[in-house]
Amino acid sequence: MKRGVVLLVVLCFLLTGATALSSSPNELVVYHWWTAGGEKEAIDVLFEVFIDEHPEYSIVQNPVAGGGGGILRAQIKTMIMAGNPPDTFQITYGHGMISSFVSVLQPIDDLIEGYNIPEDVYEWGRVDGVMYGVPLNLMQNNCLWYNVDLVEELGIEMPIKSIDEFLGICARVKAEGYIPLAVGAGMGQQFWLGTLFEAVNSALPGGGADFFNDYYAGKTIPSESEVFAETLKVLRTLLVNGFINDDYSALTWDQGSDLMATGKAVFYVMGDWAKGHFTSMNMVPKVDFGYQPFPGTDDVFIGHADCFVLPIGVDRKIAKDWIQFLTTVKAANTFCPIKGAAPFVLDAPLDVYDDITKEILGYFRDDGVVKVLSQFGAPPESYLDVFGTAFSEFFNTPEINDNTLGNFDYAYAEVFLF
């Protein structure tokens, strides 16, 4: 690790007593949840480039593992309530998530003026017309990854065009002795079932943008939505036919992806950060693993981003320099290629990106493709935990009846009405 970058691995699972580390005026205290694989490599290199630009500074980074950022967010709230916030921290980008923190954040519009990203991306994160987070990386969530060797061995023609075709192929794959679809949604990561829900829903009539724009705004009662029930039916089909690995509730997302990477499973549904995990395993895009939008979702891009924010009370030049640095082409093209993401910056050269990322970015920039902000950005923060639990309970007992839909109604009310 280069000069000035001090790694303090603070795997703080205790929420009480959490404090920002005391620092000198030239020491940036930053909290994030990138602790493994391509994500860790990407943020480490990004810190090094920031220090190259500002050699007078040093960084105290505090990676907090677990829960897709949930543990970090809880810890940050404790620190802010104690009047001791870090200089900056990571949250997912989107008006719902940011609204959950807006009372403790500073507007950053003046710091990111001139940030050359699409207006739609600004709108994803604005709260009452104000920007509180600088989005760093574009991620697509409705990705279907596949093991190239297994697809060729089983004679599967890619891309798969529809959900019905996909289910038929899953039956063939299972008959050949492989796991059709790898899932890892355990160890506090039940919210990944919501990512699978989004992908399946978007492949159905009435799903995708037509559903999620109202659903994530608190305007759709699950039991009153036909496409919500139809989505559960497809998920039930995947479960009761054994198309998903039996140990999905004991695996993290990266352990689930390893089933595909090691040739035990053929398919895997996950955002494009999975690509960073695959390449960190020395797998080659389009040689060892392939990509397509989830079958039947060619016209929908479900995505979100990560961002960094400034807490109220932080007025240090080093923190503002960090936020401004993240708006540069250098920051985007340092971080995104390693993480497996695409850049938002419109003038970022694309020669450093692999063909899959270029394909995803072209998909995002296609005016004919509808963009949908995912569960990580659109609804309030509590959605991830509450619906992670609700989906997990459904996966444990995949029956579709009044009691099941009533449980989802209760969860929905807990997120949007209470």
Side-chain angles (χ1 to χ4, degrees):
M1 186 165 294
K2 295 179 68 174
R3 67 186 186 282
V5 182
V6 181
L7 176 62
L8 297 179
V9 181
V10 187
L11 297 174
C12 299
F13 295 100
L14 295 176
L15 303 184
T16 58
T19 59
L21 301 176
S22 61
S23 60
S24 73
N26 289 337
E27 193 173 69
L28 181 73
V29 178
V30 52
Y31 278 67
H32 64 85
W33 62 72
W34 292 315
T35 60
E39 297 182 330
K40 181 182 184 303
E41 294 174 21
I43 192 64
D44 283 345
V45 174
L46 185 65
F47 286 145
E48 291 173 359
V49 171
F50 177 65
I51 294 302
D52 284 341
E53 297 261 311
H54 298 280
E56 72 276 21
Y57 292 155
S58 61
I59 289 177
V60 178
Q61 62 160 314
N62 301 268
V64 181
I71 295 174
L72 170 62
R73 292 192 295 273
Q75 183 176 335
I76 289 293
K77 289 175 183 176
T78 301
M79 297 166 68
I80 291 175
M81 290 175 65
N84 191 22
D87 292 315
T88 184
F89 62 90
Q90 174 194 4
I91 57 175
T92 48
Y93 181 75
H95 49 78
M97 177 62 75
I98 292 174
S99 292
S100 300
F101 285 85
V102 72
S103 64
V104 298
L105 300 179
Q106 299 183 47
I108 61 167
D109 297 81
D110 58 334
L111 294 176
I112 64 172
E113 186 175 359
Y115 189 18
N116 187 23
I117 61 176
E119 181 60 25
D120 288 352
V121 177
Y122 278 110
E123 285 304 310
W124 273 7
R126 283 189 177 122
V127 177
D128 296 329
V130 177
M131 290 290 289
Y132 293 90
V134 53
L136 176 60
N137 52 311
L138 169 65
M139 294 175 284
Q140 183 186 10
N141 296 43
N142 56 318
C143 302
L144 181 72
W145 305 99
Y146 57 90
N147 183 302
V148 169
D149 285 344
L150 290 183
V151 162
E152 292 178 354
E153 174 186 323
L154 299 174
I156 300 170
E157 185 176 348
M158 304 296 292
I160 302 170
K161 301 294 187 183
S162 69
I163 189 75
D164 288 339
E165 182 185 353
F166 178 67
L167 294 174
I169 290 172
C170 284
R172 284 175 49 201
V173 170
K174 186 187 178 190
E176 294 292 337
Y178 294 104
I179 300 167
L181 178 62
V183 174
M187 308 292 285
Q189 298 185 2
Q190 294 90 338
F191 49 82
W192 294 125
L193 300 176
T195 295
L196 183 58
F197 174 87
E198 288 178 333
V200 170
N201 176 282
S202 298
L204 299 174
D210 291 340
F211 173 77
F212 286 114
N213 287 341
D214 283 343
Y215 176 70
Y216 285 148
K219 301 177 181 177
T220 300
I221 304 300
S223 65
E224 298 176 358
S225 168
E226 183 177 344
V227 72
F228 188 95
E230 291 300 316
T231 307
L232 295 183
K233 290 179 182 177
V234 174
L235 295 176
R236 183 180 186 280
T237 298
L238 291 168
L239 280 163
V240 301
N241 288 288
F243 295 164
I244 290 174
N245 48 297
D246 292 336
D247 57 351
Y248 71 88
S249 63
L251 304 181
T252 59
W253 75 268
D254 49 322
Q255 291 171 329
S257 73
D258 290 345
L259 294 176
M260 191 214 81
T262 57
K264 296 175 182 174
V266 177
F267 301 110
Y268 180 56
V269 174
M270 184 53 64
D272 53 14
W273 51 91
K275 181 162 62 68
H277 181 67
F278 296 144
T279 56
S280 73
M281 300 169 70
N282 297 318
M283 297 179 72
V284 179
K286 293 201 170 186
V287 175
D288 299 311
F289 66 94
Y291 149 87
Q292 70 159 87
F294 187 78
T297 67
D298 286 354
D299 59 348
V300 182
F301 187 106
I302 303 174
H304 73 282
D306 295 298
C307 70
F308 282 88
V309 297
L310 281 183
I312 286 176
V314 173
D315 190 32
R316 305 201 313 150
K317 183 176 184 301
I318 187 173
K320 296 177 180 178
D321 284 346
W322 166 252
I323 294 296
Q324 291 179 321
F325 168 70
L326 297 180
T327 68
T328 65
V329 169
K330 177 173 284 188
N333 275 9
T334 296
F335 180 82
C336 294
I338 302 173
K339 189 179 186 296
F344 281 122
V345 188
L346 291 170
D347 55 346
L350 300 182
D351 56 326
V352 297
Y353 295 93
D354 60 57
D355 289 343
I356 290 179
T357 293
K358 291 176 183 175
E359 188 175 344
I360 288 173
L361 188 58
Y363 189 48
F364 178 75
R365 292 178 176 176
D366 185 342
D367 291 338
V369 174
V370 178
K371 285 72 179 179
V372 177
L373 188 56
S374 81
Q375 62 169 351
F376 296 102
E381 180 202 8
S382 60
Y383 180 89
L384 293 175
D385 287 338
V386 172
F387 267 78
T389 299
F391 284 128
S392 180
E393 290 173 351
F394 171 72
F395 269 56
N396 288 335
T397 309
E399 301 299 329
I400 303 169
N401 50 40
D402 289 345
N403 185 56
T404 300
L405 294 174
N407 287 340
F408 280 110
D409 283 353
Y410 184 84
Y412 199 72
E414 186 176 351
V415 173
F416 292 101
L417 301 181
F418 293 161

